[in-house]
Amino acid sequence: MKFRKTPQNEEVVTLHCVRLRPADLSYPVSSTNDMLSAAVEAGIQAPAACRNGVCEICEARLISGQALNTRNQQLILTGGRLMMCRAQALSDIELEIPAVMATGNHQPRLYQAKVVDVSSINHDVYRVELKLPRRRDVSFHAGQYLSVNLPDADPCYFSIASSPAEENIVLHIQATPEWVSAQKVIDALTSGEDVSVQLPHGKACLGAAPDKPLVLVAAGTGFAQMKSLVEYLKGTNFSHSIKLFWGVRKHEDMYLRSLAQRWHDEWDAFSFMPVVGDDEDNDWGGHHDQLVRAVLATGIDWSTVEVHASGSPTMVYSLMDALVDAGLSEQDFLSDVLEYAPRA
């Protein structure tokens, strides 16, 4: 595929496809860009520590295609090694680079994280910021989650609300006396102290910018997972539309509505649709039915999109069944619920 640059420069630039093995991730690269920069623009976590080829941690083996070493202008032959930061594609390329993990395939590991901050966002949601040791060595994909492991307690799981590109990890924890395990976590976290966490978990995530429009559906603090996805995609070359539906029972439960509205106002490709029950007697089942109805009422061509959903199993399965009936391919519906609460 070809496109022309600005009218001032009529040079024709060719786009090639780079496919990474064994991760089976692919991304476009122009004939004027190096393969590492293009991977970063596509949101792929290729290993890198410098931009001059000395560290050699972005080394890959050329399985097929033609590439050019931009340092010495020599062709790189099939079977040869290359540094992605100083190699240009001359054709479609297939590379072997085991350090790049497939979506959701990072192995969970235990870490001692430093609690940077615990602050209230609204009446029952807290923002928790954690700093991990050797952050560059900790990898996760946008949309994944972690566990907080307190002594003598079962692990407590929370979506990561920050992009993998951020230095610290942010959580949104809803804690009330009724949510006993979450309240215990909030009570145990003290700024400056350490806490044991395990990450990453979850397969409903993004290892690269997708090649189709996205529909994101969140109930309550399910917004945390969607925040990670949106902020990750803002740092890539993703060019399709994103529609976010966020459902809550009451207006005050939409704890970061101003942030979602700012994305809507400042990013042409992004649309935000708040869904508020605003009914003191509205139970969760009725609230979730309302959210599903709001999603279905948009007239989206469901055969053309990818859907990410975060909420209770009742909401997620109700939504999935409705969207599949409306034309969505089941493989394009992603939710952690499908993994941790599978149907019998």
Side-chain angles (χ1 to χ4, degrees), residues 18-56:
V18 178
R19 183 169 294 277
L20 305 180
R21 303 292 186 186
D24 198 29
L25 296 173
S26 60
Y27 63 95
V29 58
S30 75
S31 55
T32 60
N33 202 4
D34 66 81
M35 285 189 254
L36 179 60
S37 296
V40 172
E41 291 170 1
I44 294 176
Q45 297 179 47
C50 67
R51 301 311 308 271
N52 59 14
V54 174
C55 69
E56 298 190 352

Side-chain angles (χ1 to χ4, degrees), residues 76-137:
I76 302 167
L77 304 177
T78 299
R81 314 297 294 189
L82 58 81
M83 301 302 123
M84 294 176 65
C85 68
R86 65 180 194 221
Q88 289 179 341
L90 302 179
S91 67
D92 289 347
I93 293 286
E94 192 171 7
L95 299 177
E96 181 184 49
I97 179 166
V100 176
M101 301 297 293
T103 304
N105 276 12
H106 291 297
Q107 292 302 306
R109 294 172 54 190
L110 282 170
Y111 302 92
Q112 288 299 115
K114 184 77 66 179
V115 180
V116 176
D117 181 61
V118 180
S119 56
S120 175
I121 303 178
N122 74 347
H123 61 285
D124 63 358
V125 177
Y126 294 82
R127 180 187 183 275
V128 174
E129 184 174 350
L130 304 174
K131 182 177 180 61
L132 295 176
R134 296 182 59 82
R135 176 66 180 85
R136 199 185 71 192
D137 297 335

Side-chain angles (χ1 to χ4, degrees), residues 237-256:
N237 58 2
F238 183 71
S239 58
H240 300 283
S241 65
I242 303 175
K243 297 185 184 298
L244 169 65
F245 296 84
W246 187 6
V248 295
R249 285 191 296 177
K250 297 179 290 184
H251 284 281
E252 55 264 36
D253 295 333
M254 196 165 285
Y255 56 91
L256 283 180

